[in-house]
Amino acid sequence: MKLALGTVQFGLPYGVANINGQISPEEAGSMINTAQKEGIELIDTAIGYGESETCLGSIGINNLKAVSKLPSIPDNITDIYGWMEVQVTASLRRLNIDSLYGLLLHHPEQLLGIKGCQIYEALEKIKEKKLIQKSGISIYSPDELDLICGNYTFDIVQSPFNIIDQRLYLSGWLNKLKVQGVEVHVRSAFLQGLLLIPLHEIPVYFSPWENYFVAWKSWLEEKSLLPVEGCLAFIKKFSDISYLLVGADNSSHLNEIISAFKKTEAN
């Protein structure tokens, strides 16, 4: 398993626990610098992440593998491949690179509609044209895989996964994907920051899940782990995961995550 950098905060004020807003271009540049020095080879972005792609392109990411995601395909589009090619070409221009390591569908449920086959064929054609190396989907629940993977195969599947949300593993899909040779990228390791903050700072909206957070804090105390260490230590138990995507608020936070990742790797 390798660490990868998620860059949604380069383009949007993202995250339930995010109090600092969108990362400045200067700080984003510093974070990419840090990532490269520490051997991080993959970054994750999306067309829908505001200014993220443009920010990355201005920093320069030629030495990194870039994964981006396509937005929902409008219903009135008849030439799906043409639309997709325009979107990918624009992404490459913003990122200032020649090809993407991976291109994911941000709304894979569209594969279940009447244009599903056309969407999949267009994605494969984009790969054949070498605008991308790998194609895949970004999901919210493994239930989506039950519906989609009977008809289509992918190179990459990206999914949420953390100590509270273990559905990818419990459903059996984590192992199935590995057996099928699919590269598994997991995100939301810190549950949008909720797993890193004190109990009294967790928004009232999440009070129905209070017992989970109390149990989490008790487990950390029992193991004498910092929250970031506990999050990463749990995920690193699963060898079927290829990349663990993490987001950070600044370079200092990223260094903290990298240090915790190395520490858990050594245990």
Coordinates of all heavy atoms in Angstrom, one line a residue, residues 7-52:
T7 N -6.5 16.1 -3.5 CA -6.3 17.6 -3.7 C -7.6 18.4 -3.8 O -7.6 19.4 -4.4 CB -5.4 17.9 -4.9 OG1 -6.1 17.4 -6.1 CG2 -4.1 17.2 -4.8
V8 N -8.7 17.8 -3.3 CA -10.0 18.5 -3.4 C -9.8 19.9 -2.7 O -10.4 20.9 -3.2 CB -11.1 17.7 -2.8 CG1 -10.9 17.4 -1.3 CG2 -12.4 18.4 -2.9
Q9 N -9.1 20.0 -1.6 CA -9.0 21.3 -0.9 C -8.1 22.3 -1.6 O -8.0 23.5 -1.2 CB -8.4 21.0 0.5 CG -9.4 20.4 1.5 CD -8.8 19.8 2.7 OE1 -8.1 18.8 2.7 NE2 -9.0 20.5 3.8
F10 N -7.4 21.9 -2.7 CA -6.7 22.8 -3.6 C -7.7 23.6 -4.4 O -7.3 24.7 -4.9 CB -5.8 22.1 -4.5 CG -4.6 21.5 -3.9 CD1 -4.5 21.2 -2.6 CD2 -3.5 21.2 -4.7 CE1 -3.4 20.6 -2.0 CE2 -2.3 20.6 -4.1 CZ -2.3 20.3 -2.8
G11 N -8.9 23.2 -4.5 CA -9.9 23.9 -5.3 C -11.2 24.2 -4.7 O -12.0 25.0 -5.2
L12 N -11.5 23.6 -3.5 CA -12.7 23.9 -2.7 C -12.5 23.9 -1.2 O -11.5 23.2 -0.8 CB -13.7 22.7 -3.1 CG -14.2 22.6 -4.5 CD1 -15.0 21.3 -4.6 CD2 -15.1 23.8 -4.8
P13 N -13.3 24.6 -0.5 CA -13.2 24.5 1.0 C -13.9 23.3 1.5 O -15.1 23.3 2.0 CB -14.0 25.8 1.4 CG -14.9 26.1 0.3 CD -14.3 25.6 -0.9
Y14 N -13.3 22.1 1.4 CA -13.9 20.8 1.6 C -13.6 20.2 2.9 O -12.5 20.5 3.5 CB -13.3 19.8 0.5 CG -13.8 18.4 0.6 CD1 -15.1 18.0 0.1 CD2 -13.1 17.4 1.2 CE1 -15.5 16.7 0.2 CE2 -13.5 16.1 1.3 CZ -14.7 15.8 0.8 OH -15.2 14.5 0.9
G15 N -14.6 19.5 3.5 CA -14.4 18.7 4.7 C -15.3 19.2 5.8 O -15.3 20.4 6.1
V16 N -15.9 18.3 6.5 CA -16.8 18.7 7.6 C -16.1 19.4 8.7 O -16.6 20.3 9.3 CB -17.5 17.4 8.2 CG1 -18.3 17.7 9.4 CG2 -18.4 16.7 7.2
A17 N -14.8 18.9 9.0 CA -14.0 19.5 10.1 C -13.1 20.6 9.6 O -12.3 21.1 10.4 CB -13.3 18.4 10.8
N18 N -13.2 21.0 8.3 CA -12.3 22.0 7.7 C -12.7 23.4 8.2 O -13.8 23.9 7.8 CB -12.3 21.9 6.2 CG -11.4 22.9 5.5 OD1 -10.7 23.6 6.2 ND2 -11.5 23.0 4.2
I19 N -11.9 24.1 9.0 CA -12.2 25.4 9.4 C -11.3 26.5 8.7 O -11.5 27.7 8.9 CB -12.0 25.6 10.9 CG1 -10.5 25.2 11.3 CG2 -13.0 24.7 11.7 CD1 -10.2 25.5 12.8
N20 N -10.4 26.0 7.9 CA -9.4 26.9 7.2 C -9.8 27.3 5.8 O -9.2 28.1 5.2 CB -8.0 26.3 7.2 CG -7.5 26.1 8.6 OD1 -7.6 26.9 9.5 ND2 -7.0 24.9 8.9
G21 N -10.8 26.5 5.2 CA -11.2 26.8 3.9 C -10.3 26.3 2.8 O -9.5 25.4 3.1
Q22 N -10.4 26.8 1.6 CA -9.6 26.4 0.5 C -8.1 26.7 0.7 O -7.8 27.8 1.2 CB -10.1 27.1 -0.8 CG -9.4 26.6 -2.1 CD -10.0 27.3 -3.3 OE1 -11.2 27.6 -3.3 NE2 -9.2 27.5 -4.3
I23 N -7.2 25.8 0.3 CA -5.8 26.0 0.5 C -5.3 27.0 -0.6 O -5.7 27.0 -1.7 CB -5.1 24.6 0.3 CG1 -5.4 23.7 1.4 CG2 -3.6 24.8 0.2 CD1 -5.0 22.3 1.2
S24 N -4.4 27.9 -0.2 CA -3.9 28.9 -1.1 C -2.9 28.2 -2.1 O -2.4 27.2 -1.8 CB -3.1 30.0 -0.3 OG -1.9 29.4 0.2
P25 N -2.8 28.9 -3.3 CA -1.8 28.3 -4.3 C -0.4 28.1 -3.7 O 0.3 27.2 -4.1 CB -1.9 29.4 -5.4 CG -3.2 30.0 -5.2 CD -3.5 30.1 -3.8
E26 N 0.0 29.0 -2.9 CA 1.4 29.0 -2.3 C 1.5 27.7 -1.4 O 2.5 27.0 -1.5 CB 1.7 30.2 -1.5 CG 1.8 31.5 -2.3 CD 0.4 32.0 -2.8 OE1 -0.6 31.7 -2.1 OE2 0.4 32.8 -3.8
E27 N 0.5 27.5 -0.6 CA 0.5 26.4 0.3 C 0.4 25.1 -0.4 O 1.0 24.1 -0.1 CB -0.6 26.5 1.4 CG -0.5 25.5 2.5 CD 0.7 25.6 3.3 OE1 1.2 26.7 3.6 OE2 1.3 24.5 3.7
A28 N -0.4 25.1 -1.5 CA -0.6 23.9 -2.3 C 0.7 23.5 -3.0 O 1.1 22.3 -3.0 CB -1.7 24.2 -3.4
G29 N 1.5 24.5 -3.4 CA 2.8 24.3 -4.0 C 3.7 23.7 -3.0 O 4.5 22.7 -3.3
S30 N 3.7 24.2 -1.8 CA 4.5 23.6 -0.7 C 4.2 22.2 -0.4 O 5.0 21.3 -0.2 CB 4.4 24.5 0.5 OG 5.1 24.0 1.6
M31 N 2.9 21.9 -0.4 CA 2.4 20.5 -0.2 C 2.8 19.5 -1.3 O 3.2 18.4 -1.0 CB 0.9 20.5 0.0 CG 0.4 21.2 1.3 SD -1.4 21.4 1.4 CE -1.9 19.7 1.6
I32 N 2.8 20.0 -2.5 CA 3.2 19.1 -3.6 C 4.7 18.9 -3.5 O 5.2 17.7 -3.7 CB 2.9 19.8 -5.0 CG1 1.4 19.7 -5.2 CG2 3.6 19.0 -6.1 CD1 0.7 18.4 -5.3
N33 N 5.4 19.9 -3.1 CA 6.9 19.8 -2.9 C 7.2 18.7 -1.8 O 8.0 17.9 -2.0 CB 7.4 21.1 -2.4 CG 8.6 21.6 -3.2 OD1 9.0 20.9 -4.2 ND2 9.0 22.8 -2.9
T34 N 6.4 18.8 -0.7 CA 6.6 17.9 0.4 C 6.3 16.5 -0.1 O 7.0 15.5 0.2 CB 5.7 18.3 1.6 OG1 6.0 19.6 2.1 CG2 5.7 17.3 2.7
A35 N 5.2 16.3 -0.8 CA 4.8 15.0 -1.3 C 5.9 14.4 -2.1 O 6.2 13.2 -1.9 CB 3.5 15.1 -2.1
Q36 N 6.4 15.1 -3.0 CA 7.4 14.6 -3.9 C 8.7 14.2 -3.2 O 9.3 13.2 -3.4 CB 7.8 15.6 -5.0 CG 6.6 15.8 -6.0 CD 7.0 16.7 -7.2 OE1 7.4 17.9 -6.9 NE2 6.8 16.3 -8.4
K37 N 9.1 15.1 -2.2 CA 10.3 14.8 -1.4 C 10.1 13.5 -0.6 O 11.1 12.8 -0.3 CB 10.6 15.9 -0.5 CG 11.2 17.1 -1.1 CD 11.4 18.3 -0.2 CE 12.0 19.5 -0.9 NZ 12.1 20.7 0.1
E38 N 8.9 13.2 -0.2 CA 8.6 12.1 0.7 C 8.2 10.8 -0.1 O 7.8 9.8 0.4 CB 7.5 12.4 1.7 CG 7.8 13.5 2.7 CD 8.9 13.0 3.6 OE1 9.1 11.8 3.8 OE2 9.6 13.8 4.2
G39 N 8.3 10.9 -1.4 CA 8.1 9.7 -2.3 C 6.7 9.4 -2.6 O 6.4 8.4 -3.2
I40 N 5.8 10.4 -2.4 CA 4.4 10.2 -2.8 C 4.4 10.3 -4.3 O 4.9 11.3 -4.9 CB 3.5 11.2 -2.2 CG1 3.3 10.9 -0.7 CG2 2.1 11.2 -2.8 CD1 2.5 11.9 0.1
E41 N 3.8 9.4 -5.0 CA 3.9 9.3 -6.5 C 2.5 9.6 -7.2 O 2.5 9.8 -8.4 CB 4.4 8.0 -7.0 CG 3.4 6.8 -6.6 CD 4.0 5.5 -7.0 OE1 5.2 5.3 -7.2 OE2 3.2 4.5 -7.2
L42 N 1.4 9.6 -6.4 CA 0.1 9.7 -7.0 C -0.7 10.8 -6.4 O -0.7 10.9 -5.1 CB -0.6 8.4 -6.9 CG -2.0 8.3 -7.7 CD1 -2.2 7.0 -8.4 CD2 -3.2 8.6 -6.7
I43 N -1.4 11.6 -7.2 CA -2.3 12.6 -6.7 C -3.7 12.4 -7.3 O -3.8 11.9 -8.4 CB -1.8 14.1 -7.0 CG1 -1.6 14.2 -8.5 CG2 -0.6 14.4 -6.2 CD1 -1.3 15.7 -8.9
D44 N -4.7 12.8 -6.5 CA -6.1 12.6 -6.9 C -6.8 13.9 -7.0 O -6.7 14.7 -6.1 CB -6.8 11.7 -5.9 CG -8.2 11.4 -6.3 OD1 -8.5 10.5 -7.1 OD2 -9.1 12.1 -5.7
T45 N -7.5 14.1 -8.1 CA -8.2 15.3 -8.3 C -9.5 15.0 -9.1 O -9.9 13.9 -9.3 CB -7.4 16.4 -9.0 OG1 -8.1 17.7 -9.1 CG2 -7.0 16.0 -10.4
A46 N -10.2 16.0 -9.5 CA -11.5 15.8 -10.3 C -11.8 17.1 -11.0 O -11.5 18.2 -10.5 CB -12.6 15.4 -9.4
I47 N -12.5 17.0 -12.1 CA -13.0 18.2 -12.8 C -13.9 19.0 -11.9 O -14.0 20.2 -12.0 CB -13.7 17.8 -14.1 CG1 -12.7 17.2 -15.1 CG2 -14.5 18.9 -14.8 CD1 -13.3 16.6 -16.4
G48 N -14.7 18.3 -11.1 CA -15.6 18.9 -10.2 C -15.0 19.5 -8.9 O -15.8 20.1 -8.1
Y49 N -13.7 19.5 -8.8 CA -13.1 20.0 -7.6 C -12.7 21.5 -7.8 O -11.5 21.9 -7.4 CB -11.8 19.2 -7.2 CG -12.1 17.8 -6.7 CD1 -11.0 16.9 -6.5 CD2 -13.3 17.4 -6.4 CE1 -11.2 15.6 -6.0 CE2 -13.6 16.1 -5.9 CZ -12.5 15.2 -5.7 OH -12.7 14.0 -5.2
G50 N -13.5 22.3 -8.3 CA -13.3 23.7 -8.4 C -12.0 24.0 -9.2 O -11.9 23.6 -10.3
E51 N -11.1 24.7 -8.5 CA -9.8 25.1 -9.2 C -8.7 24.2 -9.0 O -7.5 24.5 -9.4 CB -9.4 26.5 -8.6 CG -10.5 27.6 -8.8 CD -10.2 28.8 -8.0 OE1 -9.1 28.8 -7.3 OE2 -11.0 29.7 -7.9
S52 N -9.0 23.0 -8.5 CA -7.9 22.0 -8.2 C -7.0 21.7 -9.4 O -5.8 21.8 -9.3 CB -8.5 20.7 -7.6 OG -7.5 19.8 -7.3

